[in-house]
Structure formats: C-alpha cells, structure tokens
Amino acid sequence: MYCSIYRNLRHRHGRRREQRRHFPAPDPRPTTTAESDPSPDSSPVRIPLPAKSAAPKVDDTMLSLTVAGQAHSSAHRPIDPTHHLVSFNPTYDQLWAPIVGPSHPYAKDGLAQGLRNHKLGFVEDANIESFVFDEQYNTFYKFGYAADPSENNYVGDVEGFKKHDGISVYNIPQHEQKKRKLEKKKEMLEENEGGDQVDEAEVQNPATDTWLMKNRKSPWAGKKEWVQGELTEEQKKYAEEHAKKKGEKEGGEREKGEAHVDKTTFHGKEERDYQGRSWIAPPKDAKASNDHCYIPKRLVHTWSGHTKGVSAIRFFPKHGHLILSAGMDTKVKIWDVFNSGKCMRTYMGHSKAVRDIWFSNDGTKFLSAGYDKNIKYWDTETGQVISTFSTGKIPYVVRLNPDEDKQNVLLAGMSDKKIVQWDINTGQITQEYDQHLGAVNTITFVDNNRRFVTSSDDKSLRVWEFGIPVVIKYISEPHMHSMPSISLHPNSNWLACQSLDNQILIYSTRERFQLNKKKRFAGHIVAGYACQVNFSPDGRFVMSGDGEGRCWFWDWKSCKVFRTLKCHEGVCIGSEWHPLEQSKVATCGWDGLIKYWKKRKPYWGLGLDASVCRS
C-alpha cells in the first residue's frame, strides 16, 4: 500500500515539473481565487503578508543631520595646534585662524604653557623687510595703527586709520606736500627780501653763517662759536666753591681707614721653648685619632677674655692647637687649645669692632677686617702688622687664595658692593669684581680654587672665574633671602648656605650650581644674624649656631636634627669643628665667651674640668 502511494506522489510531482517546464513563469502579482487555475493539480494560492517588527520606529533624520554637521564643522573649524595629525585637507583660513577657546585658569593672557614660545605668549615669524618694519613701527607709535604682515588689514586704532587715510610716516599726503613747499618758498622770499646776493659757496659750506641761516631747523641752528671771555668776580667765586666741594667729595671717596697705633701683648711664659721652637709651632704628636666624627655633649673649657661679643673664631690650620678670635672690643686674641688653655697673644690694631679673620695656609700669618675700614695682615708669632689695606669702605669678609703659589692674593668683600683683590707683596689693587647690588657678605673658593662664589645683601649668589671680573653664573630667585654665611662640604661638591629665612640650603658646585631641593636643614632661628654654618671633617654632620644661643647639629644624609646644645646667653654667632679632634667643637657668642665642647667625659690637659680661662 505504501509503495503505491509513494509511486502516485512521484507521478504527480513529475507532472508538475513538466508543466513548469512547458509553461511560462506565472505573474508575480498576487491573483485572486477566481483568476487562479481551478485544476486540482495547480499550486495553492500564496498571499504575501506585510512585515512586522516589535522595535519602535526610529526617525534617523536628526542623526543624518548631526553627522553632516560634524563633518561640515570639522572641515571649517580652526586647526588645534596641539594635534599632530590632521584627517582632512584644511584650508588656508583654517591654518591661519587665531586660537580661540576658554581662557587658561593659570595663564594671565589665557594661553596654556604648551602654546607659548615667548614669555608674552605666542609669537609667529614673519618675513618682512627692515625698511617696512621700521616704517610700520614708527607709524604705530605716531598714529596708533600699523599693517598686519600676516593678513591684508590693519591693527590698532581704526578711527585713526580712517582719519589719516592709512598713511605711514614715510607717505606724506598731497596737501601736506603742497603746504611744505609753500612754507619753504615763503622762507626763501623772506631771506632774499634785502636783495643781497648770496654766494653759492657760502650756502654749501656748513662753517659759514649763511649755511646756518639756511638750515635753521638743524640742532645747531643759529649758533656760532663763542670764545670764553674774562670771568666776573661772581663767576670766579662760584667756580672756586665748586672746585673745593668737588675736591672734598673726591677726598672723602678716597678716604682711607681710621689710623690707629698697632700694638701687641704676649701673655705666655716665653715665646720659644728650650729647643728654640716657636710658641705657634704645632705639637709633633698632633694627629687625627679617628676618621669618624661624633657629636659633642659636654662643655670642656671656656675662654673669657673679650670684654664684648666675639664675632668670629678660626682654628689654626691642619692642627688646631691654637684658636684665633675676633672681638667687638677691637681686639684679636689667640688662645692655646692643647696645653694651658690660656690666651697666648692679643693683637690691637683696630679702632672699631673686628668683623672677620682668616689664617694663611701655614698659620704663620692672618688677616683681620674691622669696621674702622682697615684690613690688616699680621704676623701670628710676633704680632707685627705686615701690611694695611683700605679702600675707604667697610670690609665684611676677607680671604686669601687657598693655592700655595697664590698666598699673596687677598680678596675682600666690601660694603660698597665690590670684591677687591690686592697683591699683598706690592700693596696694589689688581682686580675689582663689581656686579653685586648690595654689600658682599661671603667669598668661598670652589672647583680647585679656579672659581669663587660670593653672596650679598642683594639676595643673590654669583660665581666668578678667579681674576676675571665677569659673572659666569648668576643665581637669584624670588624665594631667596640673603645668605650671610657659606661653607664648603669636605668633598668639595656642595655648598651649605645659611639663609635668613631660618634654613640652610645646599647648592652644587658643579657647572650648573643647582639648588639641591632634597636637602634642606631647618629648625633653628637665625633671621637677622650672620650665624656661621659648618661641616664636620668627615662630612656626616652640618652645624650652625642660632639667635637664641643654641648650636644645632643635623645629619647630612637624612637632614634630621641630631642634637642641640645650649651654648651661650644671646646669639651663638660662630662654630668651628676641630680639624683633628673629631669629637670637639668650639663655639663663640655675643656674650663674649668662647666655649669648647667634647663628646666624652670632660678632661683637660692640666686637670681642668669645665674651667674658665681669662686673660
């Protein structure tokens, strides 16, 4: 049964294929039932149904307008100068359109830092002839407008441009030319009214009166050479008074320091020992006991001999068996450190307070600078004054060149903003460094003594090549304060600068002399005082006095306060680390005392424990 049904279906399907092969394709238009073939073998009627969707209908008109608008705006808006890639061909107007947009919140003129190429904003280069530039420059300052080289229009005063018809200083209008011609013709007629015949040679000769009359508008119009006659009594009197005042003024400028009798007093037992050695000779056993430095804790000894404050102290070079002090009582004293602890000699050569002192490399001589405007070069052993130098100004700092072959070169920072260089052997001024705008406070040699750094009351640092009066590096920032004391680190790579805003700043001594922002030492109060800053011999500690009589110690690596010592009543103005005894420090203050501090249990060579020596 199933086989017969299958054969009937195949037979019917074959007939339908035969009909489709012999008859043309039916009309795709839908047909009604009446029009369709009523034959039972024909295909069933197919009625197409309209498509339906559950999504809401979207109007894409605005989308197409937005896309078109974006394309149009991108093709016509100005080019962003910060973009490095342009996806279309911009027009000339787009390339040269001015920068627009909201103003930058931190820029005064609204331009971001990246859009600047000049401190006043963005400057474009324009090729323009020098004559045309001068013409437009002068036109702008006379009429208030000028031609814009990048566009075919004018900038500046538009009303003035319309009023003057856009003329430049070199383009005189017709009516102005006619006016000038009439004025010149009138002048010629007035000159020739007398009918005098004028020699053409005189007219062309500038040395004649005729030429002067013809050229009245020249700077020397109508002027003739005038021979000085005899002075009247009143003129003579005035000239004498003026010459006298001028001489007094010049004499005051050249005024030397105040004269004072140089004296010295030796306080020791004898100037030479039984072996004939001088009292300034260093002990033979004076050697560094340890390379590692320690912070002192206890007072060992006190020197009290100055009747007023002590302004500076200096250890004897390399050995430190003597210490030199400059007093405000006009005296310089030198004290024994290793043995008796007493004053060995007093040097009296200044009539006013002594400001600064400095040893030569071997310690046999030293310099002293006083407020009496004198710089004196002393023999340490005998107390004799070898030379006296003065410019009539107060020396604030004195230094000798550290090179062994230049120990005859003296540099002094003066109150008249100059650094003066003398040759001690001849007494002549060999150089003047005159760039500072205030009194010079410090002189510090760096870079193997080829250069030196100076600080001043003008709140700046200046670096000089030795012997050349030209600044090679100028350091001045708005945040900087005056730096009255500078010290060189033992490794010679850093400068510690005592700033009057109560901090110690560190500068590199390399080529750029940059501020080391990672190192800053603070906590002490030094505003108003020139407290000395110093390093330990191994460079591990930074040391400074303050205005309240304390001595501060900081760790060099961590910049943290290591210890403070209450040293003086009043200002602790100076502090020096002993060059050999790594745990000993000397301080001085305005209370007139010099104190010696030590780490371990107090001990003195003669059994003195925290003793006081007077002289």
Side-chain angles (χ1 to χ4, degrees):
M1 179 178 178
Y2 290 110
C3 292
S4 61
I5 293 173
Y6 178 70
R7 281 196 298 270
N8 290 336
L9 288 174
R10 289 186 60 188
H11 178 67
R12 186 179 297 177
H13 184 65
R15 289 181 62 195
R16 286 180 183 172
R17 287 168 59 183
E18 290 288 337
Q19 289 174 1
R20 280 198 294 268
R21 189 180 302 148
H22 292 91
F23 293 97
D27 190 356
R29 292 175 297 174
T31 58
T32 61
T33 308
E35 295 174 344
S36 61
D37 186 6
S39 171
D41 297 332
S42 61
S43 301
V45 179
R46 296 178 183 175
I47 301 175
L49 298 177
K52 291 184 178 181
S53 174
K57 189 175 181 180
V58 178
D59 187 6
D60 58 355
T61 307
M62 293 303 297
L63 179 62
S64 60
L65 290 175
T66 303
V67 172
Q70 289 179 351
H72 182 269
S73 62
S74 64
H76 290 84
R77 68 169 179 261
I79 303 297
D80 189 348
T82 61
H83 288 178
H84 299 286
L85 182 65
V86 181
S87 59
F88 60 93
N89 290 331
T91 62
Y92 174 85
D93 294 334
Q94 287 177 275
L95 289 173
W96 292 98
I99 299 171
V100 295
S103 62
H104 196 274
Y106 303 115
K108 294 181 180 179
D109 52 6
L111 283 178
Q113 191 65 30
L115 303 181
R116 295 170 177 270
N117 62 359
H118 190 268
K119 62 182 180 180
L120 299 179
F122 185 79
V123 178
E124 294 182 356
D125 292 333
N127 293 325
I128 184 171
E129 293 289 339
S130 59
F131 173 80
V132 178
F133 176 82
D134 292 339
E135 179 186 18
Q136 297 303 322
Y137 178 85
N138 294 319
T139 301
F140 182 83
Y141 278 95
K142 183 173 182 179
F143 298 123
Y145 58 85
D148 187 353
S150 61
E151 298 181 11
N152 191 19
N153 60 359
Y154 278 76
V155 294
D157 186 6
V158 180
E159 296 297 328
F161 174 76
K162 294 178 180 178
K163 180 181 177 181
H164 296 94
D165 295 331
I167 64 169
S168 69
V169 289
Y170 298 149
N171 295 334
I172 304 174
Q174 289 292 330
H175 65 274
E176 187 69 22
Q177 290 183 7
K178 290 181 181 179
K179 185 178 178 182
R180 292 190 180 185
K181 285 182 180 179
L182 290 173
E183 289 179 354
K184 193 172 183 181
K185 188 175 181 181
K186 186 178 179 181
E187 289 178 2
M188 294 293 293
L189 289 173
E190 289 176 356
E191 291 174 3
N192 295 329
E193 272 182 358
D196 298 335
Q197 295 294 328
V198 180
D199 188 1
E200 189 65 25
E202 290 186 359
V203 173
Q204 298 297 330
N205 187 3
T208 60
D209 292 342
T210 307
W211 186 90
L212 289 174
M213 294 302 295
K214 289 279 186 183
N215 297 273
R216 285 183 198 173
K217 292 185 180 180
S218 63
W220 53 90
K223 294 182 181 179
K224 298 171 64 177
E225 287 188 11
W226 178 64
V227 180
Q228 174 68 49
E230 193 70 26
L231 293 176
T232 63
E233 292 296 327
E234 186 177 353
Q235 289 174 333
K236 288 180 180 179
K237 186 177 179 181
Y238 177 80
E240 289 174 1
E241 290 178 356
H242 180 72
K244 186 177 180 181
K245 288 180 180 178
K246 188 175 181 182
E248 289 177 355
K249 184 178 179 182
E250 291 179 353
E253 289 178 353
R254 291 193 300 266
E255 180 188 0
K256 301 301 180 183
E258 300 175 13
H260 190 268
V261 179
D262 302 322
K263 293 189 296 182
T264 182
T265 304
F266 182 70
H267 304 289
K269 291 183 179 179
E270 51 189 4
E271 295 192 16
R272 295 188 176 274
D273 62 3
Y274 69 97
Q275 290 183 334
R277 290 179 301 184
S278 171
W279 64 273
I280 68 167
K284 293 183 178 180
D285 59 346
K287 295 179 181 179
S289 57
N290 192 356
D291 293 335
H292 197 76
C293 292
Y294 301 94
I295 301 294
K297 294 180 180 179
R298 297 170 183 168
L299 178 64
V300 175
H301 190 67
T302 302
W303 291 285
S304 175
H306 289 284
T307 57
K308 293 183 180 179
V310 180
S311 56
I313 52 175
R314 302 283 184 265
F315 274 111
F316 195 91
K318 300 178 183 177
H319 299 92
H321 62 291
L322 300 171
I323 187 169
L324 190 70
S325 62
M328 297 180 185
D329 56 357
T330 73
K331 298 176 183 177
V332 178
K333 290 178 177 287
I334 193 164
W335 314 77
D336 182 65
V337 176
F338 280 174
N339 299 313
S340 65
K342 294 181 179 180
C343 179
M344 299 300 293
R345 187 181 282 280
T346 301
Y347 308 88
M348 296 166 284
H350 293 278
S351 59
K352 291 184 180 179
V354 183
R355 164 79 182 198
D356 193 25
I357 48 178
W358 193 256
F359 269 115
S360 62
N361 285 357
D362 57 2
T364 57
K365 300 175 181 63
F366 71 89
L367 291 165
S368 65
Y371 284 96
D372 58 356
K373 305 176 185 177
N374 284 325
I375 301 170
K376 302 213 170 188
Y377 191 48
W378 300 82
D379 186 295
T380 309
E381 182 182 356
T382 63
Q384 300 299 316
V385 175
I386 301 171
S387 302
T388 302
F389 309 93
S390 179
T391 63
K393 302 297 178 183
I394 300 173
Y396 283 163
V397 56
V398 286
R399 292 290 183 272
L400 290 171
N401 190 305
D403 285 340
E404 291 294 340
D405 58 342
K406 293 179 182 150
Q407 284 286 284
N408 63 319
V409 178
L410 158 65
L411 273 81
M414 314 300 288
S415 60
D416 62 347
K417 315 170 190 176
K418 295 180 181 179
I419 300 113
V420 184
Q421 178 178 315
W422 276 278
D423 186 339
I424 293 177
N425 296 336
T426 62
Q428 300 296 318
I429 294 176
T430 57
Q431 191 61 268
E432 283 189 355
Y433 307 84
D434 186 10
Q435 291 287 327
H436 275 292
L437 305 177
V440 181
N441 293 323
T442 65
I443 300 173
T444 309
F445 281 88
V446 297
D447 194 14
N448 295 324
N449 307 324
R450 292 181 299 175
R451 299 173 179 172
F452 61 93
V453 182
T454 59
S455 66
S456 167
D457 287 345
D458 61 7
K459 304 179 183 179
S460 71
L461 295 176
R462 296 173 197 253
V463 186
W464 315 75
E465 289 277 358
F466 177 74
I468 303 174
V470 179
V471 174
I472 62 172
K473 181 68 175 181
Y474 170 63
I475 305 169
S476 180
E477 298 292 341
H479 60 78
M480 286 177 61
H481 287 67
S482 181
M483 297 177 182
S485 175
I486 295 179
S487 181
L488 183 66
H489 192 277
N491 65 12
S492 303
N493 292 331
W494 305 100
L495 286 173
C497 305
Q498 182 81 269
S499 179
L500 287 187
D501 57 349
N502 301 325
Q503 60 180 341
I504 297 172
L505 303 177
I506 306 298
Y507 286 87
S508 169
T509 59
R510 302 296 174 87
E511 290 296 325
R512 301 185 66 181
F513 288 88
Q514 285 185 319
L515 174 66
N516 188 342
K517 296 181 181 180
K518 295 182 180 180
K519 287 195 180 295
R520 174 180 167 272
F521 304 91
H524 58 322
I525 306 297
V526 293
Y529 304 105
C531 295
Q532 181 185 357
V533 61
N534 221 319
F535 287 98
S536 60
D538 62 356
R540 292 176 56 239
F541 301 106
V542 181
M543 173 178 58
S544 170
D546 74 353
E548 299 174 350
R550 290 192 293 265
C551 187
W552 292 67
F553 298 88
W554 293 269
D555 183 72
W556 169 251
K557 287 187 177 180
S558 65
C559 300
K560 294 180 180 179
V561 178
F562 202 93
R563 183 174 297 149
T564 59
L565 294 174
K566 179 62 177 176
C567 299
H568 297 273
E569 296 298 329
V571 182
C572 177
I573 197 71
S575 54
E576 282 266 334
W577 212 294
H578 196 283
L580 294 183
E581 302 275 348
Q582 276 79 7
S583 63
K584 294 181 180 178
V585 168
T587 61
C588 66
W590 284 2
D591 55 0
L593 301 176
I594 304 166
K595 295 187 178 182
Y596 199 43
W597 303 83
K598 185 178 179 181
K599 176 182 181 293
R600 299 181 183 86
K601 183 180 178 180
Y603 170 76
W604 195 258
L606 298 178
L608 300 174
D609 188 356
S611 59
V612 178
C613 287
R614 299 178 183 274
S615 176

